[in-house]
Amino acid sequence: MRNQSGFTLIELVVVIVILGILAAVAVPKFVDMSADALTASKAGMSGNVKSAHSILVAQNAVAGTTPIYPTVTELVAGIDGQGVSAVVSGVQVPIDGTNYIVPTYDNSTCATATTATTDVVLCVGQIP
């Protein structure tokens, strides 16, 4: 009798079942990464807008005796190369072809503005 070596059909089926279970567990995690990437992009752009706002407030404070909050237009001008634009409700930020708005409030509304904790609330000067 010859000595045959190889895998039995049952062994191959067990390996395929195990690979199927692993794929079923891993695929949803990779599919959800696009939503996580969009959330990270929005948070990053909001952080850029907030940083630009802080820099402008600090520059105005150094230039004068009291800090002057920048207008939305000044805020947009302070962010170079980001493709942002000023809208009435704040700074419009394009991410993957969709425009998102970082909300801003004028000084009189800032004290009473209530928003979700995920919003970036900026106190600005007169909104154009």
Side-chain angles (χ1 to χ4, degrees), residues 58-66:
Q59 286 174 345
N60 288 338
V62 169
T65 55
T66 57

PDB file of all heavy atoms in Angstrom, residues 58-66:
ATOM      1  N   ALA A  58      -5.912  86.385  20.311  1.00  0.00           N
ATOM      2  CA  ALA A  58      -4.655  86.740  20.977  1.00  0.00           C
ATOM      3  C   ALA A  58      -3.959  87.898  20.269  1.00  0.00           C
ATOM      4  O   ALA A  58      -3.438  88.814  20.925  1.00  0.00           O
ATOM      5  CB  ALA A  58      -3.733  85.524  21.025  1.00  0.00           C
ATOM      6  N   GLN A  59      -3.962  87.880  18.926  1.00  0.00           N
ATOM      7  CA  GLN A  59      -3.344  88.985  18.185  1.00  0.00           C
ATOM      8  C   GLN A  59      -4.079  90.295  18.454  1.00  0.00           C
ATOM      9  O   GLN A  59      -3.445  91.345  18.622  1.00  0.00           O
ATOM     10  CB  GLN A  59      -3.357  88.685  16.680  1.00  0.00           C
ATOM     11  CG  GLN A  59      -2.348  87.652  16.268  1.00  0.00           C
ATOM     12  CD  GLN A  59      -2.476  87.272  14.799  1.00  0.00           C
ATOM     13  OE1 GLN A  59      -3.468  87.561  14.144  1.00  0.00           O
ATOM     14  NE2 GLN A  59      -1.458  86.588  14.289  1.00  0.00           N
ATOM     15  N   ASN A  60      -5.405  90.246  18.499  1.00  0.00           N
ATOM     16  CA  ASN A  60      -6.174  91.451  18.802  1.00  0.00           C
ATOM     17  C   ASN A  60      -5.926  91.926  20.232  1.00  0.00           C
ATOM     18  O   ASN A  60      -5.902  93.129  20.500  1.00  0.00           O
ATOM     19  CB  ASN A  60      -7.673  91.202  18.575  1.00  0.00           C
ATOM     20  CG  ASN A  60      -8.023  91.099  17.112  1.00  0.00           C
ATOM     21  OD1 ASN A  60      -7.302  91.589  16.255  1.00  0.00           O
ATOM     22  ND2 ASN A  60      -9.130  90.446  16.810  1.00  0.00           N
ATOM     23  N   ALA A  61      -5.732  90.990  21.160  1.00  0.00           N
ATOM     24  CA  ALA A  61      -5.466  91.363  22.549  1.00  0.00           C
ATOM     25  C   ALA A  61      -4.104  92.035  22.682  1.00  0.00           C
ATOM     26  O   ALA A  61      -3.936  92.988  23.448  1.00  0.00           O
ATOM     27  CB  ALA A  61      -5.533  90.135  23.449  1.00  0.00           C
ATOM     28  N   VAL A  62      -3.123  91.545  21.931  1.00  0.00           N
ATOM     29  CA  VAL A  62      -1.793  92.144  21.978  1.00  0.00           C
ATOM     30  C   VAL A  62      -1.813  93.530  21.346  1.00  0.00           C
ATOM     31  O   VAL A  62      -1.160  94.455  21.823  1.00  0.00           O
ATOM     32  CB  VAL A  62      -0.769  91.223  21.261  1.00  0.00           C
ATOM     33  CG1 VAL A  62       0.549  91.927  21.051  1.00  0.00           C
ATOM     34  CG2 VAL A  62      -0.563  89.953  22.062  1.00  0.00           C
ATOM     35  N   ALA A  63      -2.593  93.695  20.280  1.00  0.00           N
ATOM     36  CA  ALA A  63      -2.626  94.970  19.569  1.00  0.00           C
ATOM     37  C   ALA A  63      -3.367  96.052  20.350  1.00  0.00           C
ATOM     38  O   ALA A  63      -3.027  97.224  20.259  1.00  0.00           O
ATOM     39  CB  ALA A  63      -3.281  94.799  18.199  1.00  0.00           C
ATOM     40  N   GLY A  64      -4.368  95.666  21.117  1.00  0.00           N
ATOM     41  CA  GLY A  64      -5.173  96.661  21.841  1.00  0.00           C
ATOM     42  C   GLY A  64      -5.233  96.326  23.317  1.00  0.00           C
ATOM     43  O   GLY A  64      -4.591  95.396  23.805  1.00  0.00           O
ATOM     44  N   THR A  65      -6.018  97.092  24.040  1.00  0.00           N
ATOM     45  CA  THR A  65      -6.114  96.871  25.485  1.00  0.00           C
ATOM     46  C   THR A  65      -7.134  95.788  25.820  1.00  0.00           C
ATOM     47  O   THR A  65      -6.989  95.105  26.815  1.00  0.00           O
ATOM     48  CB  THR A  65      -6.519  98.177  26.193  1.00  0.00           C
ATOM     49  OG1 THR A  65      -7.723  98.654  25.597  1.00  0.00           O
ATOM     50  CG2 THR A  65      -5.423  99.194  26.098  1.00  0.00           C
ATOM     51  N   THR A  66      -8.163  95.636  25.006  1.00  0.00           N
ATOM     52  CA  THR A  66      -9.148  94.585  25.261  1.00  0.00           C
ATOM     53  C   THR A  66      -9.198  93.651  24.049  1.00  0.00           C
ATOM     54  O   THR A  66      -9.053  94.095  22.917  1.00  0.00           O
ATOM     55  CB  THR A  66     -10.560  95.180  25.475  1.00  0.00           C
ATOM     56  OG1 THR A  66     -10.909  95.952  24.326  1.00  0.00           O
ATOM     57  CG2 THR A  66     -10.604  96.039  26.704  1.00  0.00           C
TER      58      THR A  66
END
